[in-house]
Amino acid sequence: APFVERVGPDVEVLARHENEPVLVRQGRVLAATFHPELTQDRRLQLLFVEMTEREPQRDVTSSTRTESEPAPVLTGQERRY
């Protein structure tokens, strides 16, 4: 499973498990180390919907991240994001 390797100054930790970050947000980007859709708790889905309603519509075919907005770093067994 992926895990949050480090958290930069612009990254907000939204949830922790055993003192390790498991849900982070940087601007419009959410990253989780678990599958929130597999639980009965719908708060994360509601947050996601809220975030999409607040953001203006944009072209999803273009890059959503700039060099000044690096994505949170997640590492897993097979991939590094």
Side-chain angles (χ1 to χ4, degrees):
F3 63 94
V4 177
E5 188 174 79
R6 64 182 178 273
V7 177
D10 296 332
V11 176
E12 179 183 6
V13 177
L14 300 176
R16 292 181 180 271
H17 177 70
E18 296 181 357
N19 207 32
E20 295 296 324
V22 294
L23 178 64
V24 293
R25 174 173 59 184
Q26 182 178 7
R28 296 182 303 259
V29 177
L30 287 173
T33 64
F34 60 98
H35 290 276
E37 72 278 9
L38 299 179
T39 71
Q40 297 297 316
D41 189 334
R42 297 293 177 236
R43 289 179 291 176
L44 185 53
Q45 286 88 343
L46 293 173
L47 172 62
F48 179 78
V49 169
E50 232 178 68
M51 289 172 62
T52 61
E53 289 173 345
R54 285 187 297 205
E55 294 297 323
Q57 297 297 317
R58 53 197 235 149
D59 180 7
V60 296
T61 60
S62 65
S63 175
T64 59
R65 186 170 55 91
T66 66
E67 208 44 49
S68 64
E69 297 179 17
V73 176
L74 299 178
T75 58
Q77 294 173 349
E78 301 168 10
R79 295 183 178 175
R80 183 180 176 99
Y81 299 90

